[in-house]
Amino acid sequence: MKRLLIFALFLVQSICFAQKEYPQNYFRNPLDIPIYLGGSFGELRSNHFHAGIDIKTQGKEGLNVYAAADGYVSRIKVQQFGYGKALYITHPNGFTTVYGHLNKFNDEIDAYVKSIQYKKENYATGNLYFKENQFPVSKGEIVAISGDTGGSGGPHLHFEIRNTATENIINPLLFGLKVKDDIPPIIQAIKGYSLSADARINQQRKSFQIPIKKISKGNYVADRIATSGLIGFGVSVFDRFNGAPNKNGIYSLEMKVNGKRYYYHDVETFAFSESKFINLHIDYAHYKRYKRKYQRTYKLTPNKLSTYEELINNGRISTKEGFNYIVEIIAKDFKGNTSIVKIPVAGKKPNAIFDEELDSTAYFIASKKFNKFSTNKVTVAFPKNSFYEDLYLDFKVEDGIAQVHNSTVPLDKNFTLTFDVSDYDEAEKQQLYIASLAYPKYPRYQYTRKKDSTFFTTSKTLGNYTLMIDNQKPKINLLHFKDQQWISNSKTIQVKITDVGSGIKNWRATIDGEWILMQYNHKKKILTYNFSDKKLVGSKHIFKLVVQDNVGNTNTLSTTFFKKQLN
């Protein structure tokens, strides 16, 4: 009996140690509508894991956003991209909640933020930090209005919960927020990978897609494959929540070989500094070529993600002639809805193994060293550890286009690309900039730093770059009223600004010579000024807007309007 009691206590302690506990019902829904998600925590995004949940706002802006618990507003940041208008609340239980893509803050906070913006004469505030007694909030207090600011793809509330001390992000659903979900993940495709020189899958050396079919809800089976040597798998999978058509991320991914766990990964929590390793977590080359993300069920050596557990041989499977294997890949969502694909594997003798011709160029990258190369007046420089492994770099310059390898290889650090511009005259240099040709039809401005005879930029994306000239000034179109018009009933001034070359860099707007705050919706290309910001004196006013692009081309709009101040 004593031994049984000791074993029971040990079992309870083991379970408690294995599970992290988070306070339940401490945080409320930050909106007053049921939670439907447009994005899940840890979802695979471009170059990062999604750091929160995206709560749908019924396709519109203007919903009240509530403090999820007692605390104080500890930080505010307003920026053109990223989270747009974002508010951070620190809570006494050791967690911080984050609210992003807001339209505006509550009246008290909004007045303070605008005072900073008017003082700086800048829309972007940078980080504004506050002490406990400046903006205390109670659970359920309105702290903001939902919006579509920043890098949002449509109206929604981005909501995060962080560990205050470490700033690690934690899945908000672990805190008891309710989301309806009885739909198992959808497994789209499976890929097999040969991971050693002697490895073969169906006598092929290259990775390829393995046909699968759905046999019942949450159950899939793959075609039988013959293998030899060290192999691995990847899975294309997504999840759906009830009442939402979005393709969301899964919570956990597991692989078993003959019933034994070889691989496990989940999105309970991670650090922002880890997020970049998504490019090693997925088959990055396949994603860049075909826009489909395969999550590997094996771990690459340089991958520093902390989200893996109980790996055997880092998820790599050593298959031998004459042995049979059943590989199960198990995908779960947060609610535990599960989908499984079974892959029958037969160990076979490989066909004749031929030495593959090594890929080589004149530019060898030693990944742990600084590397610098020049050709045809273009130089590339890579800090040490920019690449995750050694390789031969494809680097050439033809017809003014610098090809810096290709975009299918991920980087850990920015490289520097420098163009010699000594052949251009001073007037041309003013309108010259470096552009990325990732989308050849739509060249994109790269932040270009200029010296007398060289222009340079930094980037974390390999590919094609070139020099371009922008000699066209931005376009400005006044919306909803004309020069010399009475607009007493108008609440805003709106202007559309566009640029076909290097893109909009900045703008400055004034009424009667005084700076005014205009918020830019870069998706609609519209600047908006709200008349509630300032009280106008008199009825005749001059609105002036100066818009500059990234190479200094400038356009100016000046118009007169008449408006009586309404009480």
Side-chain angles (χ1 to χ4, degrees):
M1 183 67 181
K2 186 176 180 180
R3 289 182 180 178
L4 185 62
L5 181 60
I6 291 172
F7 175 76
L9 288 172
F10 173 77
L11 184 62
V12 170
Q13 288 174 352
S14 298
I15 292 172
C16 290
F17 180 77
Q19 294 178 335
K20 295 183 177 70
E21 293 186 2
Y22 299 97
Q24 302 297 297
N25 303 316
Y26 184 90
F27 295 112
R28 60 153 286 170
N29 178 352
L31 300 173
D32 55 7
I33 58 174
I35 295 178
Y36 289 95
L37 295 185
S40 58
F41 182 82
E43 194 169 283
L44 307 179
R45 299 288 177 91
S46 179
N47 298 314
H48 68 283
F49 294 96
H50 188 220
I53 55 175
D54 288 342
I55 305 176
K56 289 176 173 286
T57 54
Q58 301 175 336
K60 60 187 178 184
E61 303 181 51
L63 301 186
N64 290 336
V65 177
Y66 301 91
D70 292 349
Y72 69 97
V73 176
S74 54
R75 176 181 164 196
I76 281 173
K77 187 175 184 179
V78 178
Q79 57 185 331
Q80 189 58 53
F81 296 97
Y83 290 176
K85 292 184 177 182
L87 179 144
Y88 300 69
I89 299 176
T90 294
H91 306 279
N93 66 342
F95 296 99
T96 295
T97 51
V98 183
Y99 313 75
H101 306 307
L102 303 171
N103 178 281
K104 66 187 295 288
F105 307 107
N106 70 22
D107 290 345
E108 182 185 11
I109 298 171
D110 210 54
Y112 178 87
V113 172
K114 282 188 176 179
S115 72
I116 298 297
Q117 291 171 313
Y118 273 90
K119 182 178 180 180
K120 293 183 175 181
E121 296 192 355
N122 198 329
Y123 173 76
T125 62
N127 286 308
L128 304 176
Y129 294 99
F130 306 101
K131 296 181 180 180
E132 293 184 38
N133 60 355
Q134 195 158 358
F135 293 114
V137 294
S138 300
K139 185 175 184 176
E141 180 179 339
I142 296 173
V143 292
I145 303 298
S146 71
D148 185 26
T149 57
S152 167
H156 71 274
L157 175 67
H158 175 87
F159 181 69
E160 293 179 17
I161 299 180
R162 301 182 183 181
N163 180 306
T164 302
T166 65
E167 287 230 316
N168 284 4
I169 325 104
I170 306 163
N171 194 327
L173 299 186
L174 289 162
F175 293 82
L177 297 179
K178 305 299 182 185
V179 179
K180 292 182 179 179
D181 183 9
D182 58 16
I183 305 169
I186 292 89
I187 296 177
Q188 294 179 293
I190 297 291
K191 278 189 75 175
Y193 299 86
S194 298
L195 301 180
S196 61
D198 62 341
R200 298 290 184 274
I201 301 178
N202 289 351
Q203 300 294 4
Q204 296 185 46
R205 178 72 182 89
K206 294 182 178 180
S207 63
F208 68 99
Q209 186 172 318
I210 302 168
I212 64 172
K213 63 180 178 181
K214 185 177 180 180
I215 55 176
S216 63
K217 184 178 180 180
N219 289 288
Y220 302 76
V221 64
D223 285 3
R224 184 181 181 88
I225 58 173
T227 70
S228 59
L230 203 61
I231 65 168
F233 293 96
V235 56
S236 173
V237 57
F238 67 88
D239 188 45
R240 280 200 171 105
F241 295 93
N242 291 37
N246 309 73
K247 293 182 178 181
N248 300 116
I250 60 173
Y251 179 76
S252 69
L253 189 63
E254 181 180 15
M255 183 181 70
K256 294 181 179 180
V257 182
N258 291 342
K260 187 173 185 178
R261 179 188 278 185
Y262 265 58
Y263 171 92
Y264 181 80
H265 151 83
D266 69 33
V267 287
E268 175 188 337
T269 181
F270 59 87
F272 278 106
S273 60
E274 297 180 81
S275 201
K276 63 183 179 181
F277 291 114
I278 188 176
N279 292 333
L280 298 180
H281 177 76
I282 66 171
D283 182 340
Y284 185 79
H286 187 100
Y287 166 62
K288 296 301 287 187
R289 289 189 181 104
Y290 307 112
K291 303 307 177 187
R292 170 174 281 186
K293 297 184 178 78
Y294 280 88
Q295 300 191 54
R296 303 179 193 271
T297 56
Y298 61 96
K299 178 178 174 290
L300 298 180
T301 301
N303 188 346
K304 305 302 182 185
L305 272 175
S306 63
T307 55
Y308 303 111
E309 297 177 16
E310 301 179 32
L311 303 182
I312 294 179
N313 199 26
N314 278 337
R316 294 169 168 84
I317 305 167
S318 180
T319 59
K320 299 178 181 179
E321 181 183 358
F323 288 82
N324 292 321
Y325 309 86
I326 295 295
V327 175
E328 296 174 280
I329 297 177
I330 304 158
K332 293 184 180 181
D333 61 26
F334 179 80
K335 290 285 190 177
N337 300 304
T338 303
S339 288
I340 302 174
V341 57
K342 293 185 177 181
I343 310 167
V345 178
K348 296 289 186 181
K349 184 178 181 179
N351 58 2
I353 297 174
F354 300 97
D355 290 333
E356 294 183 352
E357 184 177 348
L358 294 176
D359 183 21
S360 63
T361 69
Y363 308 105
F364 176 71
I365 294 286
S367 59
K368 296 187 182 302
K369 296 182 179 179
F370 172 78
N371 297 271
K372 184 177 181 179
F373 310 109
S374 297
T375 184
N376 294 336
K377 295 191 173 185
V378 177
T379 301
V380 287
F382 299 94
K384 63 181 182 179
N385 298 316
S386 296
F387 290 85
Y388 293 110
E389 59 184 4
D390 297 349
L391 56 75
Y392 285 94
L393 186 78
D394 290 323
F395 175 45
K396 60 183 179 182
V397 179
E398 292 181 354
D399 300 324
I401 297 174
Q403 177 190 331
V404 187
H405 207 69
N406 63 73
S407 62
T408 63
V409 176
L411 293 180
D412 190 75
K413 297 179 180 178
N414 286 322
F415 70 95
T416 301
L417 176 67
T418 304
F419 286 82
D420 184 326
V421 295
S422 55
D423 291 340
Y424 293 86
D425 62 36
E426 292 305 312
E428 290 173 321
K429 287 179 185 178
Q430 286 186 352
Q431 298 176 327
L432 201 64
Y433 66 98
I434 300 172
S436 165
L437 299 179
Y439 302 96
K441 290 184 178 179
Y442 305 100
R444 181 173 295 179
Y445 172 83
Q446 285 284 130
Y447 177 59
T448 305
R449 281 161 280 191
K450 301 182 177 184
K451 294 185 177 179
D452 290 340
S453 59
T454 58
F455 288 3
F456 67 98
T457 189
T458 58
S459 177
K460 208 175 179 181
T461 303
L462 300 171
N464 294 344
Y465 295 84
T466 192
L467 291 170
M468 299 192 75
I469 285 181
D470 178 5
N471 54 18
Q472 298 185 52
K473 62 185 180 181
K475 292 182 179 179
I476 304 175
N477 293 298
L478 187 64
L479 303 178
H480 310 308
F481 77 92
K482 298 178 181 179
D483 187 39
Q484 301 292 328
Q485 184 175 337
W486 279 90
I487 56 170
S488 294
N489 293 322
S490 296
K491 295 181 178 180
T492 62
I493 292 177
Q494 289 192 316
V495 182
K496 187 168 186 177
I497 58 174
T498 56
D499 188 79
V500 296
S502 57
I504 302 294
K505 180 181 181 180
N506 57 47
W507 58 88
R508 178 181 173 82
T510 59
I511 292 179
D512 302 333
E514 293 188 3
W515 185 87
I516 59 170
L517 175 66
M518 297 202 80
Q519 182 168 309
Y520 184 47
N521 184 323
H522 62 270
K523 297 176 277 286
K524 296 179 180 179
K525 313 295 185 187
I526 291 177
L527 283 168
T528 301
Y529 167 69
N530 195 312
F531 279 116
S532 64
D533 280 5
K534 284 188 174 185
K535 186 175 182 179
L536 300 178
V537 178
S539 58
K540 182 179 179 181
H541 307 283
I542 297 174
F543 169 72
K544 183 178 180 182
L545 175 66
V546 180
V547 182
Q548 186 178 64
D549 66 19
N550 279 296
V551 298
N553 297 311
T554 301
N555 196 3
T556 300
L557 168 74
S558 185
T559 188
T560 299
F561 67 91
F562 297 87
K563 182 178 177 64
K564 289 182 179 180
Q565 188 72 36
L566 301 178
N567 295 326

